[in-house]
């Protein structure tokens, strides 16, 4: 019996851990008791405070479905359908008093390709960040960064969890998502929250681990990556005021991954060339003085 991994969505029978992302797999899975109009539920792979996630089918089409705990007006799906980083739902609506979203089943999710080489990870990360994927301050679940038709996108349409009794910050982030520490106290997300999320996802890309507890450094079992550690962990500070701005973090990350810019390399090369020329001239002068004045 194959099991759908609740973390990376890959399908495997290799218990007890997923061969793609090494996460623990459940022993069994069921179709669940939820129904979606026009779709057949195949697997219910996760249910938490944010809602229920399922794999569903219609004819030959597979879908990734999210079923919210209660109906709520969706702002994100309608407000940002044209974002280049966003993947809008195939279908959305209300059913049995609850709101649902169905996206195309992805070719891969971020957890299934991590860890990656820092330069490959930065190429993927910068593509998403440059298009604004981390600037919307929303906590992202692992399988919400997906590859479809060779392009990486973020699922849009899922509303943040709204929990009765919490502050006006919009509720706590759903369990299992990447979020900044200040969100645990109900504070609304800010630019510094987005910086934390962006740094957390880059750390995940290169280490395959989430920044919880004692995060795994990028330089673990590797060399010459300590500078990259400093840049990423500065952006993961618990105090929002001590994190860099989004622009500063992006610039520092690029420099740490790519190394010194061409101008710096050229300048360094010219300094070494000038130094070598000086030494040759000095040596030539010494030899001339020795030969002319018969010092030896």
């Amino acid at each position: 019996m194959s099991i759908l991994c609740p973390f990376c969505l890959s399908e495997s029978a290799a218990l007890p851990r997923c061969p793609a992302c090494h996460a623990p797999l459940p022993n069994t899975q069921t179709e669940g008791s939820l129904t979606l109009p026009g779709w057949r539920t195949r697997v219910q792979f996760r249910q938490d405070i944010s809602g229920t996630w399922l794999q569903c089918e219609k004819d030959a089409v597979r879908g990734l479905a999210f079923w919210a705990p209660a109906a709520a007006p969706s702002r994100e799906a309608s407000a940002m359908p044209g974002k280049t980083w966003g993947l809008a739902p195939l279908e959305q609506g209300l059913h049995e008093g609850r709101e649902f979203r169905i996206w195309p089943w992805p070719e891969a999710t971020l957890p299934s390709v991590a860890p990656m080489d820092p330069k490959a990870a930065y190429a993927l990360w910068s593509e998403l960040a440059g298009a604004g994927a981390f600037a919307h301050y929303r906590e992202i679940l692992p399988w919400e960064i997906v590859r479809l038709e060779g392009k990486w996108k973020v699922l849009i349409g899922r509303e943040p969890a709204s929990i009765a009794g919490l502050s006006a910050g919009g509720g706590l982030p759903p369990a299992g998502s990447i979020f900044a520490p200040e969100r645990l106290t109900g504070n609304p997300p800010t630019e510094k929250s987005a910086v934390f999320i962006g740094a957390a996802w880059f750390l995940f890309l290169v280490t395959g681990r989430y920044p919880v507890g004692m995060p795994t450094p990028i330089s673990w079992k590797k060399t010459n990556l300590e500078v990259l550690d400093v840049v990423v962990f500065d952006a993961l500070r618990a105090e929002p005021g001590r994190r860099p701005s989004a622009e500063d973090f992006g610039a520092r990350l690029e420099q740490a991954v790519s190394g010194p810019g061409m101008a710096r390399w050229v300048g360094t090369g010219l300094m070494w060339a000038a130094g070598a020329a000086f030494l040759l001239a000095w040596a030539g002068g010494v030899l001339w003085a020795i030969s002319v004045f018969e010092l030896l």
Side-chain angles (χ1 to χ4, degrees):
M1 177 183 176
S2 61
I3 297 293
L4 193 65
C5 177
F7 299 90
C8 72
L9 306 188
S10 61
E11 204 162 351
S12 172
L15 295 173
R17 289 193 171 272
C18 172
C21 69
H22 308 293
L25 294 174
N27 292 326
T28 60
Q29 283 180 329
T30 64
E31 292 185 1
S33 58
L34 300 177
T35 59
L36 298 170
W39 293 78
R40 181 176 69 87
T41 301
R42 180 184 173 192
V43 176
Q44 177 177 311
F45 60 86
R46 180 177 289 273
Q47 185 174 22
D48 54 39
I49 197 168
S50 69
T52 303
W53 292 87
L54 312 112
Q55 184 188 61
C56 56
E57 294 179 344
K58 177 192 286 186
D59 299 327
V61 178
R62 288 194 301 171
L64 171 60
F66 174 70
W67 184 292
S74 175
R75 293 175 298 276
E76 188 181 30
S78 58
M80 299 188 291
K83 291 289 186 181
T84 57
W85 53 263
L87 180 61
L90 287 172
E91 293 185 19
Q92 57 186 336
L94 295 173
H95 183 62
E96 297 180 356
R98 302 174 70 181
E99 194 172 21
F100 70 90
R101 303 278 185 275
I102 302 175
W103 295 270
W105 189 258
E107 299 165 357
T109 63
L110 216 55
S112 67
V113 299
M116 304 174 69
D117 173 83
K119 289 189 176 180
Y122 178 73
L124 193 162
W125 182 92
S126 61
E127 179 183 348
L128 288 169
F134 303 121
H136 60 309
Y137 315 142
R138 183 171 66 85
E139 290 79 17
I140 305 172
L141 291 160
W143 50 85
E144 288 186 292
I145 300 181
V146 303
R147 186 178 67 212
L148 192 67
E149 298 180 350
K151 296 182 179 180
W152 287 94
K153 294 179 178 291
V154 179
L155 304 183
I156 59 174
R158 178 182 64 83
E159 286 296 306
S162 180
I163 307 171
L166 292 178
S167 67
L172 288 178
S177 62
I178 298 297
F179 54 85
E182 62 270 17
R183 296 284 287 125
L184 288 176
T185 58
N187 291 322
T190 64
E191 179 195 0
K192 295 300 181 74
S193 304
V195 169
F196 186 98
I197 291 173
W201 277 114
F202 182 81
L203 180 66
F204 177 83
L205 276 171
V206 292
T207 65
R209 296 178 180 270
Y210 301 105
V212 295
M214 292 294 291
T216 302
I218 296 172
S219 59
W220 176 247
K221 295 185 179 180
K222 299 175 184 177
T223 57
N224 302 322
L225 293 175
E226 291 79 8
V227 174
L228 193 54
D229 280 335
V230 172
V231 172
V232 172
F233 280 90
D234 272 350
L236 292 174
R237 291 182 180 273
E239 304 86 354
R242 299 184 65 187
R243 298 175 204 148
S245 65
E247 182 179 357
D248 185 37
F249 171 64
R252 292 178 62 197
L253 185 62
E254 180 182 14
Q255 184 175 1
V257 171
S258 305
M262 183 59 68
R264 182 176 173 183
W265 281 114
V266 171
T268 303
L270 290 175
M271 290 180 62
W272 278 105
F278 173 79
L279 288 175
L280 289 173
W282 178 82
V286 171
L287 290 174
W288 176 83
I290 291 174
S291 62
V292 170
F293 298 103
E294 298 181 352
L295 297 179
L296 295 179

